[in-house]
Amino acid sequence: MRVARLESEIDFDGWRVAARVLRTEGVSPEAVVWTVERDLFDQDLFPPPRGEGGGEADGWGTVQGVSTASPQDSSNPTRPLRGHPPHEGEGKILTVPAAFIDLAQTVILHRSPERLALLYRLLHRLERQPRLLDNPADADVAKARDMAKGVGRAIHKMHAFVRFRLVEDVTPETYVAWFEPAHRVTEAAAPFFARRFANMNWSILTPDACVHWDGSTLTMSPGADPADAPSQDAQEEMWRTYYASIFNPARLNPAMMKQEMPKRYWRNLPEAALIPDLIAKAQSRTETMVAAQPTKPSDRVLKAALKHARDGSFGESNLVNLEEVAAGIQVCRRCDLWRNATQGVPGAGPAKAALMIVGEQPGDQEDLQGIPFVGPAGQLLDRAMAEAGVPRDRVFVTNAVKHFKHEPRGKRRLHKTPDRGEVQACRWWLDAERRLVRPKVILALGATAVQAVFGKALPVGKTRGQRQALDGGEQGLVSWHPSFMLRIPDPEAKDRAYAELVEDLRQAWKLAG
């Protein structure tokens, strides 16, 4: 039996060196014991650090490997594997698919004690089955991929559920979070936080390892204890109030909620204490919301708005305030979208806001409540605005199209993108809002909003972050629509798009200020 010892649970370089030696010796997977436990009687059990043992930079495809075990070692059936990588020019060439390296680097972060042996078994089988990884039905391949998915989910959950708390009486201002990841992903997840919170000094403490950011450098340290992190700070009550205000009872699905926000993370989330009560009251809050009738405008306003909506030509709007605009939207017949919508949804916010955010069209919840950005996409926008330091109550939020375009599908109403004619027809109302609010900056979210605000199609990915002068004298900016992020299946891509939205909101608010 051979014993292979690693420096740590996630020592991929050490595993690779040891596996390479075992492979070149022809040691079967059943004859290897993998461990990270130190042998007190052996001072030279561990592989040399990366770069000191040779063979590290060449990878699997070019490194030549031979056994470094001595004849004396061969007589000892339980000798530990000494981690000296084979030297160039010795032994046979070992090659593995690049996909295996990617898979192995992820799987080693899994907490399963089987992972090291599983990876070596796959490596051993790849010698005779070079296309083994292409067979998803193979039990070993399936198990490794399941582990990789679990690690990916753990990284995503860490990105979503870390909550920083301010450390009192510390200069410079420092934030610390305690988190218990499902797998050993602290180091892998850290770069995301360095990008997201680049201007903060922060530490994330976990039982496995801790990561620290000083504004320029990420550093790691050994694992910590929950008592090392603040249990609360002065901002938590404000955060709980905010969370309760954006909780949408009509969209509540407890099973899905617990799937997306597993209870194992709740004890470290300040808002988690509110969740049981919010769930208990969701039904009654939904009934109250559905029973509430939209506020009816005065007859004078309705009469004026109806006249404008029916008789006014494009560009000749003489609506004098946002109340008239809102009333006119309710009787608008400039296209057919009103027929299947519950009501028109005008913009909302201060009458003289410096920043206007324009989305695509109302969604299901916006159509029912008559308020823009209150559904899932709106909640995501609220979170992004909070992270960007943009107060929603000082921003005018609206949509390019004012009626909900959808397609019935069973009990659901599926969103449909407005066509060019519908966007053009609704510019009457958007232009009226722009003329009355007179914002300094307009942030268009998504392709439909870009079409309405700029009067032409622009690629969001290529134009976001670039200021453009608009005909009304405003500065125009482009970013992703929150609903786009809700549809992205890849967690990394979703996080990247969200970070860019936060960055664009921050830029827009700075320009507006």
Side-chain angles (χ1 to χ4, degrees), residues 159 164 189-200 202 204 211-218:
H159 290 168
F164 289 104
F192 166 84
F193 295 100
R195 294 192 301 272
R196 176 70 61 83
F197 304 104
N199 298 325
M200 288 170 43
W202 53 258
I204 301 174
V211 59
H212 314 275
W213 174 254
D214 62 0
S216 62
T217 307
L218 275 175

Side-chain angles (χ1 to χ4, degrees), residues 1 3 9 24 53 66 132 166 182 199 256 321 328 358 395 422 451 478:
M1 184 65 69
V3 179
E9 295 282 1
T24 53
V66 297
L132 174 63
L166 179 66
N199 298 325
M256 182 63 71
N321 56 49
V358 181
V395 176
E422 291 157 350
Q451 179 71 42
V478 173

Side-chain angles (χ1 to χ4, degrees), residues 375-490:
Q379 293 171 26
L380 187 62
L381 178 63
D382 284 346
R383 184 156 66 89
M385 292 175 72
E387 288 192 27
V390 181
R392 175 153 176 171
D393 61 356
R394 295 175 60 186
V395 176
F396 192 88
V397 292
T398 188
N399 285 297
V401 173
K402 309 302 184 185
H403 284 102
F404 180 31
K405 184 177 183 179
H406 60 276
E407 177 180 293
R409 187 75 59 84
K411 295 182 179 179
R412 301 176 60 196
R413 301 190 298 173
L414 299 184
H415 163 277
K416 290 187 69 176
T417 301
D419 60 32
R420 182 185 295 270
E422 291 157 350
V423 174
Q424 187 68 13
C426 234
R427 280 191 62 190
W428 165 275
W429 303 112
L430 179 60
D431 285 351
E433 290 175 331
R434 288 173 60 175
R435 179 175 57 80
L436 293 169
V437 177
R438 301 183 66 182
K440 293 180 180 177
V441 178
I442 298 179
L443 178 61
L445 304 180
T448 300
V450 169
Q451 179 71 42
V453 172
F454 294 87
K456 59 183 178 182
L458 295 171
V460 175
K462 293 182 179 178
T463 54
R464 56 162 294 276
Q466 302 173 16
R467 286 185 288 173
Q468 301 191 45
L470 296 171
D471 293 341
E474 311 97 336
Q475 293 286 328
L477 288 170
V478 173
S479 191
W480 306 109
H481 196 286
S483 62
F484 165 68
M485 292 163 217
L486 297 176
R487 298 192 297 268
I488 300 176
D490 178 53

Side-chain angles (χ1 to χ4, degrees), residues 163-209:
R163 298 287 185 269
F164 289 104
R165 293 182 169 105
L166 179 66
V167 181
E168 295 182 359
D169 302 326
V170 171
T171 304
E173 190 173 79
T174 301
Y175 293 81
V176 175
W178 170 257
F179 192 74
E180 298 173 48
H183 300 290
R184 300 180 180 94
V185 299
T186 305
E187 192 168 1
F192 166 84
F193 295 100
R195 294 192 301 272
R196 176 70 61 83
F197 304 104
N199 298 325
M200 288 170 43
N201 288 345
W202 53 258
S203 295
I204 301 174
L205 313 185
T206 81
D208 309 308

Side-chain angles (χ1 to χ4, degrees), residues 39-262:
D39 186 338
L40 298 178
F41 300 100
D42 193 330
Q43 300 303 312
D44 187 25
L45 298 181
F46 300 101
R50 185 170 187 164
E52 296 180 7
E56 287 297 303
D58 293 333
W60 290 95
T62 58
V63 170
Q64 295 174 315
V66 297
S67 170
T68 59
S70 65
Q72 184 180 2
D73 288 332
S74 300
S75 65
N76 180 0
T78 60
R79 69 188 188 282
L81 177 72
R82 297 180 186 279
H84 301 291
H87 299 287
E88 186 172 357
E90 299 177 317
K92 62 181 181 180
I93 295 176
L94 302 179
T95 60
V96 295
F100 175 75
I101 300 298
D102 294 338
L103 180 67
Q105 287 178 314
T106 303
V107 168
I108 203 169
L109 305 181
H110 200 277
R111 290 194 187 278
S112 170
E114 302 177 23
R115 70 199 187 288
L116 302 174
L118 171 65
L119 291 177
Y120 183 64
R121 190 160 64 246
L122 281 171
L123 181 65
H124 189 266
R125 295 180 60 194
L126 281 169
E127 187 172 3
R128 295 180 177 80
Q129 300 171 262
R131 300 184 65 82
L132 174 63
L133 297 184
D134 295 337
N135 180 11
D138 182 88
D140 285 342
V141 173
K143 183 178 291 184
R145 288 184 174 173
D146 283 346
M147 288 184 182
K149 287 181 181 177
V151 169
R153 283 195 296 271
I155 293 174
H156 177 64
K157 298 301 183 188
M158 187 168 179
H159 290 168
F161 298 136
V162 161
R163 298 287 185 269
F164 289 104
R165 293 182 169 105
L166 179 66
V167 181
E168 295 182 359
D169 302 326
V170 171
T171 304
E173 190 173 79
T174 301
Y175 293 81
V176 175
W178 170 257
F179 192 74
E180 298 173 48
H183 300 290
R184 300 180 180 94
V185 299
T186 305
E187 192 168 1
F192 166 84
F193 295 100
R195 294 192 301 272
R196 176 70 61 83
F197 304 104
N199 298 325
M200 288 170 43
N201 288 345
W202 53 258
S203 295
I204 301 174
L205 313 185
T206 81
D208 309 308
C210 302
V211 59
H212 314 275
W213 174 254
D214 62 0
S216 62
T217 307
L218 275 175
T219 56
M220 303 294 298
S221 64
D225 186 85
D228 297 330
S231 58
Q232 61 181 355
D233 68 7
Q235 300 180 19
E236 290 202 7
E237 191 56 37
M238 183 186 305
W239 168 250
R240 281 193 283 266
T241 301
Y242 170 75
Y243 182 83
S245 69
I246 66 171
F247 184 85
N248 186 349
R251 302 291 295 183
L252 178 63
N253 182 334
M256 182 63 71
M257 179 182 185
K258 290 174 182 176
Q259 180 179 335
E260 294 297 319
M261 185 189 287

